[in-house]
Amino acid sequence: MVTQTLTTSKFGEYIKELRKERGLYQSDLATLINKSQTWINFLEQGTLKTMEVTTLVLMSKVLEVPVDDLLINLGLLEQKFGLLNVEPRLAKVLQLSLIHISEPTRLLSIA
């Protein structure tokens, strides 16, 4: 598990903005990523503590944004001069999860 202090309220606001831009209600997004509306509410409020990597990848597809954008807004990825710097422990988790995307056990700590 990757543990790091992250700006979850900023991420929640970002997800809410993306969701609204696409004309989705919380319940719509929840259905599309196989989560509850309460889960989406917690995510948008910044009170959610963990997220499966597979959920993050699915959310990027549903909201039509690169995973990189989500990771930057989570504070796990830094962009400077067009280059991306990944926190080393996260890089390994992401590499493994993208290879084995069906494994629902990988979690990102977002608090």
Side-chain angles (χ1 to χ4, degrees):
M1 184 183 304
V2 176
T3 305
Q4 184 173 338
T5 303
L6 307 170
T7 24
T8 55
S9 60
K10 177 185 172 193
F11 182 71
E13 291 169 12
Y14 178 63
I15 294 300
K16 184 176 184 176
E17 179 182 316
L18 290 173
R19 175 181 61 76
K20 286 185 171 188
E21 284 176 2
R22 281 138 185 87
L24 298 172
Y25 293 103
Q26 284 184 344
S27 58
D28 298 330
L29 180 56
T31 300
L32 292 168
I33 65 169
N34 303 314
K35 296 293 181 184
S36 68
Q37 182 177 349
T38 301
W39 190 92
I40 299 295
N41 188 39
F42 287 157
L43 174 68
E44 290 182 357
Q45 289 178 6
T47 57
L48 194 65
K49 302 298 179 197
T50 60
M51 180 188 306
E52 296 169 2
V53 172
T54 53
T55 301
L56 190 70
V57 172
L58 184 56
M59 193 179 306
S60 78
K61 289 179 182 179
V62 168
L63 296 174
E64 301 172 334
V65 295
V67 174
D68 295 356
D69 288 356
L70 298 180
L71 293 172
I72 288 167
N73 279 280
L74 265 172
L76 290 171
L77 195 62
E78 184 179 275
Q79 187 170 14
K80 288 185 179 177
F81 309 110
L83 301 174
L84 298 173
N85 297 319
V86 180
E87 207 256 270
R89 292 176 297 158
L90 174 64
K92 184 68 174 172
V93 170
L94 288 174
Q95 181 182 24
L96 292 173
S97 68
L98 292 175
I99 292 169
H100 305 287
I101 201 68
S102 63
E103 291 183 31
T105 55
R106 300 197 188 287
L107 299 177
L108 290 175
S109 176
I110 57 174

